[in-house]
Amino acid sequence: MKKVTFSIKKRNGDKITGVGYITDEDLLIPAISSKTNKPYIRVFEDCIKDCHKIVGKTNEFQGIYEMIIPCEIPDKNGSTETKELPITYYIWYKLIEE
């Protein structure tokens, strides 16, 4: 694993920054659960393949990552329908040399 500083922005404007780690495929970042207020490690699976080196910058990468999540949506009849909703993230990270 390599240590990185990162910035992740959702399409709607929410932004997360901090220090995390990358593997050959995944970005791992620290997070806090909104329900239990406990820390956990959030994994953005297979997002590294979507990030490319920024021209003219040393050890900086960026990309767009789309995650598909299932969501239950109530309809007019009172039943629920499961739909897949895309969430788009704009990812930037820089390798930290140690």
Side-chain angles (χ1 to χ4, degrees):
M1 283 197 288
K2 297 177 185 174
K3 194 172 186 179
V4 297
T5 58
F6 68 88
S7 172
I8 299 173
K9 184 177 178 185
K10 274 186 175 178
R11 178 176 242 164
N12 69 1
D14 294 341
K15 188 175 182 179
I16 305 166
T17 60
V19 176
Y21 293 90
I22 61 168
T23 65
D24 291 335
E25 301 168 351
D26 306 331
L27 173 62
L28 295 84
I29 66 168
I32 296 180
S33 171
S34 60
K35 293 180 182 178
T36 62
N37 206 26
K38 292 185 178 181
Y40 71 99
I41 301 297
R42 183 168 180 185
V43 179
F44 288 87
E45 294 179 359
D46 295 328
C47 73
I48 299 303
K49 69 178 184 328
D50 297 323
C51 295
H52 307 284
K53 188 167 177 61
I54 300 173
V55 177
K57 301 285 185 172
T58 304
N59 295 330
E60 290 188 39
F61 299 81
Q62 69 181 7
I64 298 172
Y65 173 65
E66 190 168 87
M67 179 185 292
I68 307 293
I69 60 166
C71 184
E72 291 187 5
I73 300 173
D75 63 9
K76 296 177 184 177
N77 301 328
S79 61
T80 58
E81 180 181 358
T82 301
K83 290 190 176 187
E84 292 183 343
L85 301 176
I87 300 176
T88 303
Y89 295 97
Y90 301 96
I91 297 175
W92 170 90
Y93 68 88
K94 181 177 182 177
L95 298 173
I96 298 175
E97 296 177 18
E98 290 187 8

